[in-house]
Amino acid sequence: LVDMNPKALARAQELFESYVSNDIPQSFMKESIFDISLEDEFDIVVCDGVLHHTEDKKRGFAILSSYLKSGGYCFLGIGNQAGSFQRNLQRAILYKFSDSDDEIYSLADQLFSKHIDRAVKYGKRSRRAVIYDSYINPKHDSATVDEVLEWFESCRLHLYSTYPKILPNIFCDSPSHASFNKLMTHQAVGQIPELLWMTHNRNDLKSSDKYLGLSQDFEAPLKALTGAVNDPMPGQELDLEAVEASCAEIDGMIHTLEKAFPVSQELQEFFREVGSLAAALRTDDLKIVSSTLSNCKTLLTGLHGTSMTYFIGYKDLDNAST
């Protein structure tokens, strides 16, 4: 374990003493990832929530991945540039109207108290920790999907999986299929998911009722259609009337999918509110900015985007270390 913060290392040692067998070799290094020099290579390399707080995230990833064995796996958790848009917008507002850490702290508590309350409740951190990590931390240089995929390629790692998923369900090949790897090398592959990560403002479970209700509506005609042609036998005639009836019923329901995925209206509202906030910021008047924020229905409400993204990659067994 490598960390610059002695308190973080001390806490890690406490956790290892409590939960990890003493028979497992452990090493704790108080060092920057940019300065470490190790002789070993590892089966798994983990870096979670670190690189976007550094000056050179690409170089940091290259250093970390260089310690990965052939056949090993790399786990990367990193802030996404679009998903962090709302947090970075908050930071920009605070920096515009504050001249010190104390002023940032006070104004954040004034403008973004609901967000901080939620982070305290669900993140189990103190209010001070949330404000310092979100707003006073001097570096929050998040990455785009295409940046991370380029890092993987330059470090000769294959993408195994991501969370959230980058490819929607309209792409149905297995992740191990060659087409998946080809799709994931396209520079623009992340743009639509990043648009959704950017504007995400409610827990997926809050949207599940509409989705599950609509799924239930499709259940009977879909099962009737697939059942009508399932396991055909020689000499057996298909129930073509049932096929036609099911197709007609499903065709008449397709438009209701918008009920489960009502994204376009929310996206429009989000970007209109961003524009209104930009206009308010141009006035240099904190009262006008505060009033604009209070009128937002989509922007800076709820979850404030999907800031963290996760990538797992692997190095081929025949891929020698470089």
Side-chain angles (χ1 to χ4, degrees):
L1 292 92
V2 180
D3 201 294
M4 295 174 64
N5 186 342
K7 292 183 179 180
L9 282 179
R11 178 60 176 151
Q13 286 178 291
E14 291 175 3
L15 291 170
F16 268 64
E17 288 173 1
S18 299
Y19 297 105
V20 179
S21 168
N22 291 329
D23 296 334
I24 298 176
Q26 305 163 27
S27 179
F28 300 85
M29 297 179 60
K30 180 182 175 298
E31 190 63 86
S32 162
I33 60 173
F34 296 101
D35 298 326
I36 56 174
S37 179
L38 305 172
E39 296 181 358
D40 297 320
E41 290 184 330
F42 301 90
D43 297 300
I44 299 173
V45 173
V46 176
C47 181
D48 189 5
V50 174
L51 292 182
H52 54 269
H53 294 307
T54 70
E55 185 64 30
D56 192 344
K57 52 188 184 291
K58 179 178 180 179
R59 178 169 166 251
F61 182 77
I63 292 171
L64 292 167
S65 62
S66 70
Y67 290 106
L68 194 63
K69 288 181 181 179
S70 294
Y73 284 81
C74 173
F75 176 97
L76 173 66
I78 189 167
N80 176 263
Q81 187 169 299
S84 299
F85 172 83
Q86 296 189 63
R87 176 177 295 188
N88 284 327
L89 188 56
Q90 288 177 319
R91 288 164 62 91
I93 293 169
L94 294 172
Y95 299 161
K96 182 177 180 66
F97 295 104
S98 305
D99 293 320
S100 68
D101 288 355
D102 288 341
E103 289 185 7
I104 293 172
Y105 191 102
S106 176
L107 188 57
D109 213 16
Q110 175 186 330
L111 296 179
F112 309 124
S113 59
K114 289 184 179 180
H115 173 65
I116 297 167
D117 290 342
R118 187 184 304 105
V120 169
K121 179 179 179 180
Y122 294 106
K124 308 299 182 184
R125 295 181 294 169
S126 70
R127 198 170 195 81
R128 178 181 175 84
V130 169
I131 292 176
Y132 266 78
D133 184 44
S134 299
Y135 309 124
I136 298 178
N137 190 320
K139 194 71 173 175
H140 202 287
D141 180 19
S142 296
T144 61
V145 167
D146 59 286
E147 278 186 290
V148 176
L149 295 179
E150 190 275 324
W151 300 349
F152 273 58
E153 184 177 8
S154 65
C155 295
R156 300 197 297 173
L157 300 181
H158 297 284
L159 185 68
Y160 178 75
S161 65
T162 72
Y163 184 84
K165 289 182 179 179
I166 295 175
L167 296 180
N169 288 337
I170 58 171
F171 297 99
C172 301
D173 287 342
S174 165
S176 61
H177 198 277
S179 62
F180 169 79
N181 294 320
K182 188 170 183 179
L183 277 169
M184 298 308 291
T185 62
H186 196 289
Q187 186 175 2
V189 69
Q191 301 306 299
I192 291 178
E194 285 181 323
L195 185 67
L196 300 178
W197 300 345
M198 181 180 185
T199 58
H200 184 57
N201 70 350
R202 62 178 176 269
N203 189 294
D204 290 336
L205 291 176
K206 297 286 181 66
S207 305
S208 62
D209 288 344
K210 287 183 180 179
Y211 177 82
L212 294 175
L214 188 59
S215 182
Q216 192 171 27
D217 292 341
F218 274 92
E219 180 179 17
L222 188 59
K223 284 185 175 179
L225 177 60
T226 57
V229 298
N230 188 49
D231 192 26
M233 303 292 288
Q236 176 187 353
E237 292 191 11
L238 292 179
D239 186 348
L240 297 178
E241 289 187 2
V243 170
E244 288 184 61
S246 297
C247 285
E249 186 174 359
I250 293 172
D251 181 57
M253 295 169 59
I254 291 296
H255 72 280
T256 64
L257 287 172
E258 173 64 19
K259 293 180 180 179
F261 308 103
V263 296
S264 57
Q265 183 176 347
E266 292 180 0
L267 289 176
Q268 283 184 320
E269 187 172 57
F270 178 89
F271 289 106
R272 287 170 182 167
E273 290 178 350
V274 172
S276 297
L277 181 57
L281 286 166
R282 289 175 60 193
T283 68
D284 294 326
D285 189 325
L286 180 57
K287 289 184 179 180
I288 294 176
V289 171
S290 179
S291 176
T292 303
L293 287 170
S294 66
N295 290 326
C296 288
K297 297 179 180 179
T298 303
L299 175 65
L300 296 175
T301 63
L303 297 178
H304 290 55
T306 303
S307 59
M308 285 297 295
T309 48
Y310 301 89
F311 300 79
I312 295 179
Y314 64 93
K315 183 179 287 188
D316 279 342
L317 283 169
D318 59 352
N319 192 345
S321 299
T322 57

PDB file of all heavy atoms in Angstrom, residues 2 30 50 60 78 85 90 102 125 128 151 153 163 201 226 239 287 289 306:
ATOM      1  N   VAL A   2       0.572   2.160  -0.904  1.00  0.00           N
ATOM      2  CA  VAL A   2       1.376   3.374  -1.046  1.00  0.00           C
ATOM      3  C   VAL A   2       0.468   4.585  -0.857  1.00  0.00           C
ATOM      4  O   VAL A   2      -0.571   4.695  -1.496  1.00  0.00           O
ATOM      5  CB  VAL A   2       2.037   3.450  -2.444  1.00  0.00           C
ATOM      6  CG1 VAL A   2       2.876   4.713  -2.567  1.00  0.00           C
ATOM      7  CG2 VAL A   2       2.883   2.209  -2.693  1.00  0.00           C
ATOM      8  N   LYS A  30       5.117   5.181   2.777  1.00  0.00           N
ATOM      9  CA  LYS A  30       4.747   6.597   2.761  1.00  0.00           C
ATOM     10  C   LYS A  30       5.516   7.243   1.602  1.00  0.00           C
ATOM     11  O   LYS A  30       6.665   7.636   1.739  1.00  0.00           O
ATOM     12  CB  LYS A  30       5.101   7.279   4.080  1.00  0.00           C
ATOM     13  CG  LYS A  30       4.738   8.762   4.106  1.00  0.00           C
ATOM     14  CD  LYS A  30       5.143   9.402   5.419  1.00  0.00           C
ATOM     15  CE  LYS A  30       4.875  10.906   5.379  1.00  0.00           C
ATOM     16  NZ  LYS A  30       5.667  11.593   4.336  1.00  0.00           N
ATOM     17  N   VAL A  50      -7.778   8.399  -6.834  1.00  0.00           N
ATOM     18  CA  VAL A  50      -6.491   9.048  -6.574  1.00  0.00           C
ATOM     19  C   VAL A  50      -6.036   9.920  -7.741  1.00  0.00           C
ATOM     20  O   VAL A  50      -5.701  11.097  -7.569  1.00  0.00           O
ATOM     21  CB  VAL A  50      -5.402   7.991  -6.267  1.00  0.00           C
ATOM     22  CG1 VAL A  50      -4.033   8.653  -6.142  1.00  0.00           C
ATOM     23  CG2 VAL A  50      -5.731   7.219  -5.004  1.00  0.00           C
ATOM     24  N   GLY A  60       0.739   8.870 -13.941  1.00  0.00           N
ATOM     25  CA  GLY A  60       0.472   8.074 -12.754  1.00  0.00           C
ATOM     26  C   GLY A  60      -0.044   6.698 -13.108  1.00  0.00           C
ATOM     27  O   GLY A  60       0.376   5.687 -12.536  1.00  0.00           O
ATOM     28  N   ILE A  78     -11.720   6.325 -11.087  1.00  0.00           N
ATOM     29  CA  ILE A  78     -11.283   7.681 -11.395  1.00  0.00           C
ATOM     30  C   ILE A  78     -12.494   8.563 -11.682  1.00  0.00           C
ATOM     31  O   ILE A  78     -13.516   8.095 -12.206  1.00  0.00           O
ATOM     32  CB  ILE A  78     -10.317   7.691 -12.599  1.00  0.00           C
ATOM     33  CG1 ILE A  78      -9.682   9.068 -12.791  1.00  0.00           C
ATOM     34  CG2 ILE A  78     -10.996   7.203 -13.875  1.00  0.00           C
ATOM     35  CD1 ILE A  78      -8.509   9.068 -13.753  1.00  0.00           C
ATOM     36  N   PHE A  85     -18.965  17.157 -13.829  1.00  0.00           N
ATOM     37  CA  PHE A  85     -19.261  18.512 -14.288  1.00  0.00           C
ATOM     38  C   PHE A  85     -19.961  19.348 -13.221  1.00  0.00           C
ATOM     39  O   PHE A  85     -19.595  20.505 -12.973  1.00  0.00           O
ATOM     40  CB  PHE A  85     -20.122  18.442 -15.552  1.00  0.00           C
ATOM     41  CG  PHE A  85     -20.649  19.770 -16.016  1.00  0.00           C
ATOM     42  CD1 PHE A  85     -19.861  20.609 -16.791  1.00  0.00           C
ATOM     43  CD2 PHE A  85     -21.929  20.193 -15.679  1.00  0.00           C
ATOM     44  CE1 PHE A  85     -20.344  21.845 -17.221  1.00  0.00           C
ATOM     45  CE2 PHE A  85     -22.416  21.421 -16.105  1.00  0.00           C
ATOM     46  CZ  PHE A  85     -21.615  22.244 -16.881  1.00  0.00           C
ATOM     47  N   GLN A  90     -19.773  23.631  -9.140  1.00  0.00           N
ATOM     48  CA  GLN A  90     -19.859  24.116  -7.757  1.00  0.00           C
ATOM     49  C   GLN A  90     -18.530  24.730  -7.318  1.00  0.00           C
ATOM     50  O   GLN A  90     -18.490  25.813  -6.720  1.00  0.00           O
ATOM     51  CB  GLN A  90     -20.223  22.973  -6.813  1.00  0.00           C
ATOM     52  CG  GLN A  90     -21.652  22.487  -6.918  1.00  0.00           C
ATOM     53  CD  GLN A  90     -21.906  21.303  -6.008  1.00  0.00           C
ATOM     54  OE1 GLN A  90     -21.071  20.401  -5.887  1.00  0.00           O
ATOM     55  NE2 GLN A  90     -23.053  21.290  -5.360  1.00  0.00           N
ATOM     56  N   ASP A 102     -11.544  29.186   4.443  1.00  0.00           N
ATOM     57  CA  ASP A 102     -12.649  29.428   5.371  1.00  0.00           C
ATOM     58  C   ASP A 102     -13.863  29.987   4.640  1.00  0.00           C
ATOM     59  O   ASP A 102     -15.010  29.616   4.933  1.00  0.00           O
ATOM     60  CB  ASP A 102     -12.205  30.405   6.470  1.00  0.00           C
ATOM     61  CG  ASP A 102     -11.246  29.760   7.459  1.00  0.00           C
ATOM     62  OD1 ASP A 102     -11.205  28.517   7.515  1.00  0.00           O
ATOM     63  OD2 ASP A 102     -10.535  30.509   8.165  1.00  0.00           O
ATOM     64  N   ARG A 125     -19.269  10.369   6.313  1.00  0.00           N
ATOM     65  CA  ARG A 125     -18.135  11.241   6.597  1.00  0.00           C
ATOM     66  C   ARG A 125     -18.617  12.485   7.318  1.00  0.00           C
ATOM     67  O   ARG A 125     -19.797  12.821   7.268  1.00  0.00           O
ATOM     68  CB  ARG A 125     -17.423  11.649   5.301  1.00  0.00           C
ATOM     69  CG  ARG A 125     -16.760  10.514   4.557  1.00  0.00           C
ATOM     70  CD  ARG A 125     -16.063  11.015   3.305  1.00  0.00           C
ATOM     71  NE  ARG A 125     -17.014  11.521   2.334  1.00  0.00           N
ATOM     72  CZ  ARG A 125     -16.678  12.212   1.248  1.00  0.00           C
ATOM     73  NH1 ARG A 125     -15.407  12.508   1.020  1.00  0.00           N
ATOM     74  NH2 ARG A 125     -17.590  12.630   0.402  1.00  0.00           N
ATOM     75  N   ARG A 128     -17.074  18.426   7.579  1.00  0.00           N
ATOM     76  CA  ARG A 128     -15.781  19.013   7.249  1.00  0.00           C
ATOM     77  C   ARG A 128     -15.068  18.188   6.186  1.00  0.00           C
ATOM     78  O   ARG A 128     -14.517  18.726   5.222  1.00  0.00           O
ATOM     79  CB  ARG A 128     -14.920  19.103   8.516  1.00  0.00           C
ATOM     80  CG  ARG A 128     -13.517  19.649   8.282  1.00  0.00           C
ATOM     81  CD  ARG A 128     -12.743  19.680   9.603  1.00  0.00           C
ATOM     82  NE  ARG A 128     -11.359  20.089   9.394  1.00  0.00           N
ATOM     83  CZ  ARG A 128     -10.950  21.340   9.313  1.00  0.00           C
ATOM     84  NH1 ARG A 128     -11.837  22.328   9.426  1.00  0.00           N
ATOM     85  NH2 ARG A 128      -9.681  21.632   9.121  1.00  0.00           N
ATOM     86  N   TRP A 151      -5.114   5.358 -22.353  1.00  0.00           N
ATOM     87  CA  TRP A 151      -4.113   4.912 -21.378  1.00  0.00           C
ATOM     88  C   TRP A 151      -3.982   3.397 -21.408  1.00  0.00           C
ATOM     89  O   TRP A 151      -2.873   2.868 -21.389  1.00  0.00           O
ATOM     90  CB  TRP A 151      -4.510   5.326 -19.963  1.00  0.00           C
ATOM     91  CG  TRP A 151      -4.660   6.786 -19.728  1.00  0.00           C
ATOM     92  CD1 TRP A 151      -4.282   7.817 -20.553  1.00  0.00           C
ATOM     93  CD2 TRP A 151      -5.256   7.407 -18.588  1.00  0.00           C
ATOM     94  NE1 TRP A 151      -4.600   9.018 -20.004  1.00  0.00           N
ATOM     95  CE2 TRP A 151      -5.195   8.812 -18.791  1.00  0.00           C
ATOM     96  CE3 TRP A 151      -5.826   6.925 -17.414  1.00  0.00           C
ATOM     97  CZ2 TRP A 151      -5.689   9.719 -17.859  1.00  0.00           C
ATOM     98  CZ3 TRP A 151      -6.321   7.822 -16.493  1.00  0.00           C
ATOM     99  CH2 TRP A 151      -6.253   9.206 -16.706  1.00  0.00           C
ATOM    100  N   GLU A 153      -4.626   1.374 -23.850  1.00  0.00           N
ATOM    101  CA  GLU A 153      -3.973   0.950 -25.085  1.00  0.00           C
ATOM    102  C   GLU A 153      -2.474   1.219 -25.035  1.00  0.00           C
ATOM    103  O   GLU A 153      -1.660   0.360 -25.399  1.00  0.00           O
ATOM    104  CB  GLU A 153      -4.593   1.673 -26.274  1.00  0.00           C
ATOM    105  CG  GLU A 153      -4.036   1.225 -27.623  1.00  0.00           C
ATOM    106  CD  GLU A 153      -4.720   1.907 -28.790  1.00  0.00           C
ATOM    107  OE1 GLU A 153      -5.529   2.834 -28.552  1.00  0.00           O
ATOM    108  OE2 GLU A 153      -4.442   1.530 -29.939  1.00  0.00           O
ATOM    109  N   TYR A 163     -17.703   0.176 -14.954  1.00  0.00           N
ATOM    110  CA  TYR A 163     -18.919   0.511 -14.222  1.00  0.00           C
ATOM    111  C   TYR A 163     -18.951   2.020 -14.035  1.00  0.00           C
ATOM    112  O   TYR A 163     -17.963   2.561 -13.518  1.00  0.00           O
ATOM    113  CB  TYR A 163     -18.986  -0.187 -12.864  1.00  0.00           C
ATOM    114  CG  TYR A 163     -20.300   0.111 -12.162  1.00  0.00           C
ATOM    115  CD1 TYR A 163     -21.438  -0.635 -12.454  1.00  0.00           C
ATOM    116  CD2 TYR A 163     -20.393   1.164 -11.258  1.00  0.00           C
ATOM    117  CE1 TYR A 163     -22.640  -0.340 -11.841  1.00  0.00           C
ATOM    118  CE2 TYR A 163     -21.597   1.462 -10.654  1.00  0.00           C
ATOM    119  CZ  TYR A 163     -22.720   0.710 -10.935  1.00  0.00           C
ATOM    120  OH  TYR A 163     -23.913   1.016 -10.334  1.00  0.00           O
ATOM    121  N   ASN A 201     -29.264  12.600 -11.765  1.00  0.00           N
ATOM    122  CA  ASN A 201     -29.606  13.299 -10.525  1.00  0.00           C
ATOM    123  C   ASN A 201     -30.452  12.486  -9.552  1.00  0.00           C
ATOM    124  O   ASN A 201     -30.865  13.004  -8.523  1.00  0.00           O
ATOM    125  CB  ASN A 201     -30.318  14.622 -10.845  1.00  0.00           C
ATOM    126  CG  ASN A 201     -31.712  14.425 -11.415  1.00  0.00           C
ATOM    127  OD1 ASN A 201     -32.099  13.303 -11.746  1.00  0.00           O
ATOM    128  ND2 ASN A 201     -32.477  15.498 -11.526  1.00  0.00           N
ATOM    129  N   THR A 226     -42.551 -15.112 -28.545  1.00  0.00           N
ATOM    130  CA  THR A 226     -41.395 -16.022 -28.527  1.00  0.00           C
ATOM    131  C   THR A 226     -41.829 -17.457 -28.299  1.00  0.00           C
ATOM    132  O   THR A 226     -41.246 -18.397 -28.845  1.00  0.00           O
ATOM    133  CB  THR A 226     -40.384 -15.596 -27.445  1.00  0.00           C
ATOM    134  OG1 THR A 226     -41.031 -15.556 -26.161  1.00  0.00           O
ATOM    135  CG2 THR A 226     -39.805 -14.230 -27.748  1.00  0.00           C
ATOM    136  N   ASP A 239     -48.217 -21.125 -35.146  1.00  0.00           N
ATOM    137  CA  ASP A 239     -49.468 -20.414 -34.907  1.00  0.00           C
ATOM    138  C   ASP A 239     -49.272 -18.982 -35.408  1.00  0.00           C
ATOM    139  O   ASP A 239     -48.954 -18.067 -34.653  1.00  0.00           O
ATOM    140  CB  ASP A 239     -49.810 -20.425 -33.413  1.00  0.00           C
ATOM    141  CG  ASP A 239     -51.181 -19.816 -33.128  1.00  0.00           C
ATOM    142  OD1 ASP A 239     -51.746 -19.195 -34.041  1.00  0.00           O
ATOM    143  OD2 ASP A 239     -51.642 -19.930 -31.976  1.00  0.00           O
ATOM    144  N   LYS A 287     -26.030  37.246  -5.030  1.00  0.00           N
ATOM    145  CA  LYS A 287     -27.459  37.100  -4.765  1.00  0.00           C
ATOM    146  C   LYS A 287     -28.193  36.565  -5.997  1.00  0.00           C
ATOM    147  O   LYS A 287     -29.084  35.719  -5.883  1.00  0.00           O
ATOM    148  CB  LYS A 287     -28.053  38.445  -4.346  1.00  0.00           C
ATOM    149  CG  LYS A 287     -27.632  38.896  -2.957  1.00  0.00           C
ATOM    150  CD  LYS A 287     -28.331  40.188  -2.569  1.00  0.00           C
ATOM    151  CE  LYS A 287     -27.924  40.631  -1.158  1.00  0.00           C
ATOM    152  NZ  LYS A 287     -28.607  41.898  -0.775  1.00  0.00           N
ATOM    153  N   VAL A 289     -26.830  34.770  -8.404  1.00  0.00           N
ATOM    154  CA  VAL A 289     -26.387  33.381  -8.573  1.00  0.00           C
ATOM    155  C   VAL A 289     -27.127  32.470  -7.602  1.00  0.00           C
ATOM    156  O   VAL A 289     -27.627  31.394  -7.974  1.00  0.00           O
ATOM    157  CB  VAL A 289     -24.864  33.265  -8.357  1.00  0.00           C
ATOM    158  CG1 VAL A 289     -24.432  31.800  -8.317  1.00  0.00           C
ATOM    159  CG2 VAL A 289     -24.107  34.003  -9.458  1.00  0.00           C
ATOM    160  N   THR A 306     -22.763  11.437 -12.119  1.00  0.00           N
ATOM    161  CA  THR A 306     -22.063  10.186 -11.784  1.00  0.00           C
ATOM    162  C   THR A 306     -20.574  10.481 -11.864  1.00  0.00           C
ATOM    163  O   THR A 306     -19.950  10.334 -12.920  1.00  0.00           O
ATOM    164  CB  THR A 306     -22.441   9.064 -12.770  1.00  0.00           C
ATOM    165  OG1 THR A 306     -23.855   8.887 -12.749  1.00  0.00           O
ATOM    166  CG2 THR A 306     -21.769   7.759 -12.401  1.00  0.00           C
TER     167      THR A 306
END
